Amino acid sequence: MPAVASVLVTFVGVLLFAVSQVAIAEALVSSVPQVFRITNLLRTIDLTQTLVRETTSAAILNIGTELQSEYYFPVDQAYTPNLALITAENRKTKESLEIEKDSQYTNEQYQFYKVHLSPPLGAGEKIQITVKSVLSNFIRPFPAIIGQSEKQGFMYSGNAFALSAYPASKQKTTVQTPGKNMQIHAHPVDSKLQVTSNGLVLGPFGKIDAFVQDALQVEYEMPGPVIHFREFRRDVEVAHWGSNLAFEDHYNFINRGAGLKGQYIRKGARRPPTSVEGGNPVKAFVVGIPKLARDIYYRDEIGNISTSSIHHLDKAIGLSLVPRFPVFGGWNTTFYTGYNAPLDGFVHRVPDTEKYILKMYLFDLIKESSYDKVEVRVVLPEGSKNVKAHLPFNVDSIEYSVSKMYMDSVGRSTVTIKARNLVEDHVQELFVEYEYPESAYLIKPLAAASMLMGVFLVSMVFSRLNLQIQGQVPVKAKQI
């Protein structure tokens, strides 16, 4: 009897959960305007890299009677901390569509994004749109620890269906993996499952209601490290007098791959960075820096690190940074790099004005990398004013301040940009506009001249002071 009671309680719990999910889905459907029907919904999950990339293409039909300019795309709230980037485009013309967070329909279960259709979709008209998203730190090592030369596996857990705010007449999900070595732990029971040489295909499914979810778990092998920077800070100094642009980047790195089981065996570990073997150690970081870079250095808290090299590419310099030791899963290290570049390669003056525009990348490219905290500080020359920074994506904050360095008098205008959860796709151009009048060139020489004049005046005053002690009568020597 106790066993029967336990089974009954479990059955009732599952039934109540199913009823609650149906009620939530119905409430969500009633909240989002049901003015579209999706005639075909294709979803691709790319697991070939450490960043999970999802592409959802939808052929939507306006079933309403009026023009529609807003399409709602839901994201499970469990994924929002990992959602680093989301974009939308017209699938046929490849024209970018504006997408933004929506607060009207967002709730505890789903974060909605509003896609602005351009031009608006008329009654009975169709359009094909594609929404692309990048998830960082989403996959987990499976198992969590491995030996130094063992193969590394990962587990992907997600929704088998493409999450949609509108019903779909047809739907298919494709999962791409690095190779054929994989295991499927969970998928919809009644789904059509096809395993390929580099992934699997679920569907095509027939009519699928809005907000339908079902578990999908895929275990697969993928060698190599998971490059993640807990903190990244970039300091940029603009110098008009020296016609120089100085960069210095500080990295706080952790390998988020499977942890190392047992002790580290040095024998056989120090192989060329290009060699492929088991495990997941970081043996080199390859950073793409500007083609005009010079005076390149690579250091850490101990001092200079000589294990680095450069190779020239078509549009950049590949800087290969070899750490002092292989960085296995769960291990971390800190280091910093820097270089100078000619100012005229990055700063351009607007003709017939005092305005200058600095164009540079927010950070240099390291492939398959993700960042927790990013801070970029741009220090402009003394005397610059009316500073304004522009970025093609939203960040946490852009602060304008004045900082003083050596030999400064009025201080230098400074732009500080702070952001979280960035990935390699955010390596985009930063524009900083500022005004720098010709009279500002005299600030530094006048400050230096004033300081020297002050030193001379002080020395002149002290040289004319009588520092002898007065009131004492000199004692005459007695004659014998």
Side-chain angles (χ1 to χ4, degrees):
M1 291 298 292
V4 175
S6 177
V7 171
L8 183 60
V9 170
T10 303
F11 174 75
V12 172
V14 172
L15 182 61
L16 290 175
F17 175 78
V19 171
S20 65
Q21 292 297 309
V22 171
I24 291 174
E26 290 179 352
L28 289 169
V29 169
S30 61
S31 63
V32 177
Q34 294 298 297
V35 294
F36 296 115
R37 185 176 75 246
I38 301 177
T39 59
N40 193 16
L41 188 58
L42 303 175
R43 179 192 182 206
T44 301
I45 306 172
D46 186 356
L47 303 178
T48 57
Q49 298 180 351
T50 56
L51 299 174
V52 178
R53 300 178 183 273
E54 293 194 11
T55 303
T56 304
S57 297
I60 61 177
L61 171 67
N62 183 359
I63 59 176
T65 57
E66 300 176 352
L67 287 173
Q68 301 296 333
S69 60
E70 296 175 350
Y71 173 85
Y72 291 92
F73 184 85
V75 175
D76 197 307
Q77 289 284 19
Y79 298 172
T80 53
N82 307 98
L83 183 62
L85 184 68
I86 184 168
T87 59
E89 66 179 18
N90 186 310
R91 187 180 181 186
K92 285 189 174 181
T93 64
K94 303 300 180 182
E95 179 184 357
S96 296
L97 300 175
E98 182 184 355
I99 183 170
E100 61 180 350
K101 280 187 176 181
D102 178 76
S103 58
Q104 181 178 1
Y105 301 112
T106 296
N107 51 61
E108 295 181 356
Q109 189 170 5
Y110 298 110
Q111 168 68 59
F112 283 89
Y113 286 83
K114 182 164 53 179
V115 180
H116 296 270
L117 303 178
S118 178
L121 197 63
E125 293 182 349
K126 292 182 179 181
I127 188 175
Q128 295 184 10
I129 64 172
T130 298
V131 177
K132 298 180 181 180
S133 59
V134 181
L135 301 173
S136 64
N137 304 314
F138 188 74
I139 54 176
R140 294 293 178 262
F142 189 83
I145 57 174
I146 58 174
Q148 184 170 325
S149 299
E150 291 181 0
K151 293 182 178 181
Q152 178 178 240
F154 288 91
M155 179 71 74
Y156 170 84
S157 300
N159 186 10
F161 299 100
L163 191 62
S164 171
Y166 310 95
S169 302
K170 187 169 63 173
Q171 181 181 144
K172 184 173 71 172
T173 297
T174 302
V175 180
Q176 299 174 349
T177 57
K180 61 182 179 181
N181 294 331
M182 63 178 175
Q183 296 183 21
I184 304 168
H185 293 275
H187 66 90
V189 178
D190 299 330
S191 64
K192 298 178 182 179
L193 178 62
Q194 179 185 356
V195 179
T196 63
S197 59
N198 61 342
L200 59 97
V201 178
L202 290 170
F205 303 100
K207 183 180 178 181
I208 301 295
D209 295 330
F211 301 102
V212 171
Q213 296 197 56
D214 205 334
L216 173 64
Q217 280 192 337
V218 181
E219 178 189 351
Y220 58 97
E221 291 182 2
M222 183 169 60
V226 179
I227 300 177
H228 179 74
F229 296 99
R230 293 181 292 192
E231 291 183 3
F232 171 81
R233 189 182 84 245
R234 161 166 278 193
D235 295 324
V236 182
E237 184 177 346
V238 181
H240 278 248
W241 260 103
S243 188
N244 185 69
L245 194 63
F247 295 84
E248 186 167 280
D249 299 336
H250 294 254
Y251 298 87
N252 185 333
F253 168 76
I254 184 172
N255 185 350
R256 290 207 165 179
L260 179 63
K261 180 171 62 177
Q263 296 182 349
Y264 163 59
I265 302 174
R266 188 174 181 83
K267 182 179 180 181
R270 297 295 295 187
R271 296 185 180 179
T274 54
S275 64
V276 179
E277 55 181 288
N280 59 8
V282 175
K283 295 188 176 181
F285 300 95
V286 180
V287 188
I289 63 176
K291 189 76 172 178
L292 299 174
R294 61 176 186 263
D295 306 328
I296 304 169
Y297 58 88
Y298 169 38
R299 301 168 185 164
D300 62 5
E301 295 177 351
I302 300 175
N304 184 63
I305 304 176
S306 59
T307 52
S308 62
S309 60
I310 62 173
H311 53 279
H312 293 271
L313 306 174
D314 292 338
K315 297 182 179 180
I317 294 177
L319 176 60
S320 179
L321 307 175
V322 180
R324 295 184 184 274
F325 53 88
V327 186
F328 287 88
W331 293 15
N332 61 82
T333 185
T334 58
F335 60 92
Y336 64 97
T337 64
Y339 53 87
N340 294 317
L343 191 66
D344 55 6
F346 297 85
V347 175
H348 303 278
R349 183 175 182 175
V350 180
D352 302 325
T353 66
E354 297 179 341
K355 181 182 290 186
Y356 291 82
I357 299 177
L358 167 65
K359 183 174 71 171
M360 51 168 275
Y361 286 110
L362 191 66
F363 52 93
D364 292 328
L365 175 64
I366 299 179
K367 291 185 178 181
E368 299 184 45
S369 59
S370 59
Y371 302 77
D372 263 349
K373 299 179 181 179
V374 173
E375 180 176 333
V376 177
R377 192 174 66 128
V378 180
V379 180
L380 299 172
E382 195 172 21
S384 56
K385 57 184 180 180
N386 297 331
V387 182
K388 197 170 185 180
H390 304 274
L391 273 169
F393 55 88
N394 294 327
V395 294
D396 292 344
S397 65
I398 300 179
E399 302 172 0
Y400 302 95
S401 61
V402 177
S403 57
K404 287 191 175 183
M405 304 176 69
Y406 53 89
M407 296 290 292
D408 283 348
S409 54
V410 298
R412 307 186 185 192
S413 298
T414 303
V415 181
T416 304
I417 300 170
K418 296 181 180 180
R420 288 178 176 269
N421 194 16
L422 301 186
V423 292
E424 59 175 299
D425 302 68
H426 289 105
V427 181
Q428 301 183 37
E429 289 181 334
L430 162 67
F431 294 89
V432 180
E433 297 180 4
Y434 62 96
E435 293 181 7
Y436 189 65
E438 293 183 357
S439 59
Y441 281 94
L442 300 176
I443 294 178
K444 188 71 69 177
L446 290 176
S450 300
M451 185 188 69
L452 291 174
M453 183 62 70
V455 173
F456 290 146
L457 289 174
V458 170
S459 64
M460 290 173 59
V461 171
F462 272 93
S463 67
R464 285 164 172 74
L465 289 177
N466 185 7
L467 299 179
Q468 293 183 353
I469 300 176
Q470 303 294 328
Q472 294 185 356
V473 179
V475 179
K476 295 182 179 180
K478 293 183 178 180
Q479 295 182 354
I480 300 176

